[in-house]
Structure formats: structure tokens, C-alpha cells
């Protein structure tokens, strides 16, 4: 139970940091911000796996999570501009 609450809190913080570092507006609510942070953690883990090995599906630390979330956010913003 507490690990789920921890992931939600971690995802929210990472998502908010990533959204503040990427310029422009990102029309997303609280739930999408949490999902951005959690998904960014796994993308950061995949980047870490590619760089130094280890488990293919793993979460990463703060910096890796923020880098992964920024990468996902930039892709999302570019994709939404391309579709519109």
C-alpha cells in the first residue's frame, strides 16, 4: 500500500520537475503528470540499461527519472503539434 503511494508521490514530483524544465505549455492534469513521472523513471532505467547493462526493466533514480520524463514530454509535445 505504501509503495503505491510512494510511486504516486515520486511520479508527481518527477513529472512536475520535468514540466517545469521543458519550455512551453503542456496541457495535462495531475494524473497525466504522475504517469509522466512514473513512465519517465522506467525510460530512464532503460537508458541506464543501454549505457551500462543490468536488468532491462528497471526504474532509475531521481536524475534518470527526470531525464526520462523530459524525453517523454518533449516527444509528446512535438507529436501533439504535428497532429494538430
Amino acid at each position: 500500500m505504501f509503495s503505491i503511494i510512494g510511486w504516486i508521490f515520486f511520479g508527481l514530483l518527477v513529472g512536475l520537475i520535468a514540466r517545469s524544465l521543458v519550455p512551453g505549455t503542456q496541457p495535462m492534469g495531475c494524473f497525466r503528470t504522475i504517469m509522466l513521472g512514473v513512465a519517465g523513471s522506467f525510460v530512464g532505467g532503460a537508458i541506464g540499461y543501454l549505457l551500462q547493462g543490468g536488468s532491462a526493466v528497471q526504474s532509475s533514480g531521481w536524475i534518470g527519472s527526470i531525464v526520462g520524463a523530459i524525453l517523454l514530454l518533449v516527444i509528446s509535445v512535438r507529436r501533439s503539434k504535428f497532429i494538430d
Side-chain angles (χ1 to χ4, degrees):
M1 176 72 177
F2 287 112
S3 65
I4 294 172
I5 294 171
W7 271 102
I8 290 170
F9 183 68
F10 181 78
L12 180 63
L13 285 177
V14 169
L16 287 174
I17 292 170
R19 287 182 64 190
S20 69
L21 293 176
V22 174
T25 60
Q26 302 92 23
M28 61 176 61
C30 186
F31 181 74
R32 284 190 61 196
T33 302
I34 292 169
M35 291 292 102
L36 172 70
V38 172
S41 179
F42 286 101
V43 169
I47 292 170
Y49 167 74
L50 292 174
L51 293 177
Q52 62 188 16
S55 174
V57 179
Q58 63 184 4
S59 61
S60 60
W62 283 96
I63 295 174
S65 298
I66 293 169
V67 169
I70 288 172
L71 182 66
L72 288 175
L73 189 57
V74 167
I75 291 170
S76 173
V77 167
R78 301 253 186 219
R79 183 172 170 234
S80 67
K81 287 182 181 178
F82 181 71
I83 292 174
D84 292 337

